[in-house]
Amino acid sequence: MKKISADYIYPGNTTPIKNGVIVYGTDGKIIDLLNPLETEINWEEVERFNGIICPGFVNTHCHLELSYLKGEIAEETQLHGFVKEIISLRENFSDEERQNAITLAEQEMIENGIVAVGDISNGSSTFKHKEKSQLNYHTFIEVFGSDPKIAEAAFKHSEEVYNSYFDKERTSITPHATYSVSDNLVTLINAHAIANNSLISIHNQETASENAFFKEGNGAMFDFLNIAEKTNNQFLPTGKNALPS
């Protein structure tokens, strides 16, 4: 059993405790949190630190496999421009460069106190790395396809990626965004999520054109994805914002 203290202990669910003491076992699990105003402390048993001790941080939305694009994307392009840049740049990097970027990105997270990550994956390039990582990952296998005709093929690919993951308790198939999954594809994702009691992640409200897409059937994302042609001009606006739609 060990005891540590700092100027403040920030539990996250209560007021910070000045000179608080954390008691934890050899397995790293916290046994107790002591307030010196309420409990007598034998300070000779306590290892003291300057600053604040707090719970580890959670990076709830990460794209670890895209780490190689850090600093490569132009700013202020709007979302459709951002997507275009990713498509144009993604083939310019070797597997070694991608893996090195993944390693550096994860180390940056660790150095900044992150202990758990919700990570979006389109492929399996991060899987071997995650299997031996000290971070706790939940991997969201992201699927997209705004064309109803490719729904089954798109889902099949995501299912193959899902099946290759080393821990089924910590992965799930999830939609990319409201505007990038057809109704057919949503149905397939939903059935898989229900069958596996899955967590879901979805990009939402990243650009105003998401709402124009559904409310009016127009806008930058609607045009960029060529929805009118993909649906034979049968797309019906809902009159509602993206997520309710």
Side-chain angles (χ1 to χ4, degrees):
M1 187 171 66
K2 295 185 178 181
K3 298 177 182 179
I4 58 174
S5 180
D7 300 326
Y8 286 92
I9 304 294
Y10 185 75
N13 60 346
T14 64
T15 303
I17 302 172
K18 187 174 183 179
N19 299 316
V21 176
I22 295 174
V23 183
Y24 64 96
T26 55
D27 59 358
K29 290 185 178 180
I30 294 175
I31 299 170
D32 206 352
L33 176 58
L34 307 176
N35 186 335
L37 298 179
E38 301 172 356
T39 305
E40 187 174 346
I41 307 294
N42 181 355
W43 291 103
E44 293 183 358
E45 301 175 349
V46 179
E47 185 177 4
R48 174 80 184 181
F49 296 91
N50 294 322
I52 295 171
I53 296 175
C54 69
F57 298 119
V58 179
N59 180 350
T60 60
H61 188 96
C62 180
H63 288 258
L64 188 63
E65 69 185 11
L66 299 181
S67 298
Y68 64 92
L69 291 173
K70 182 179 180 180
E72 300 289 336
I73 306 292
E75 297 182 6
E76 299 182 10
T77 63
Q78 297 189 40
L79 186 58
H80 60 284
F82 172 76
V83 174
K84 282 183 180 179
E85 291 230 12
I86 289 180
I87 293 171
S88 67
L89 290 170
R90 62 187 177 188
E91 301 302 326
N92 297 345
F93 298 85
S94 67
D95 287 341
E96 182 179 5
E97 288 173 317
R98 293 167 189 250
Q99 290 301 317
N100 287 340
I102 288 168
T103 300
L104 290 173
E106 183 180 79
Q107 188 57 39
E108 184 179 355
M109 287 193 282
I110 293 170
E111 290 172 357
N112 282 279
I114 290 170
V115 298
V117 185
D119 188 57
I120 308 297
S121 291
N122 297 114
S124 59
S125 62
T126 61
F127 291 3
K128 289 183 179 179
H129 191 92
K130 290 172 178 174
E131 192 168 6
K132 60 184 180 181
S133 175
Q134 71 184 73
L135 295 181
N136 291 306
Y137 284 96
H138 184 93
T139 297
F140 295 96
I141 309 300
E142 183 180 73
V143 58
F144 52 87
S146 54
D147 188 341
K149 294 186 291 293
I150 69 165
E152 290 190 13
F155 182 78
K156 183 179 179 181
H157 170 73
S158 67
E159 199 170 32
E160 289 171 353
V161 177
Y162 172 88
N163 289 333
S164 72
Y165 200 70
F166 58 91
D167 185 354
K168 296 298 184 295
E169 296 294 319
R170 296 191 177 188
T171 188
S172 49
I173 296 177
T174 198
H176 166 254
T178 55
Y179 54 81
S180 60
V181 284
S182 66
D183 290 348
N184 299 16
L185 187 51
V186 169
T187 299
L188 294 169
I189 296 168
N190 188 51
H192 188 275
I194 292 171
N196 294 277
N197 194 29
S198 294
L199 295 174
I200 289 293
S201 169
I202 189 165
H203 295 84
N204 183 50
Q205 300 300 304
E206 294 182 299
T207 173
S209 64
E210 292 179 44
N211 290 333
F213 183 112
F214 287 97
K215 292 178 75 173
E216 301 151 13
N218 58 33
M221 289 306 299
F222 191 89
D223 295 337
F224 174 67
L225 293 172
N226 204 13
I227 299 300
E229 182 177 330
K230 288 176 180 175
T231 61
N232 296 317
N233 292 308
Q234 299 300 307
F235 180 84
L236 296 176
T238 63
K240 300 177 181 178
N241 284 344
L243 197 57
S245 299

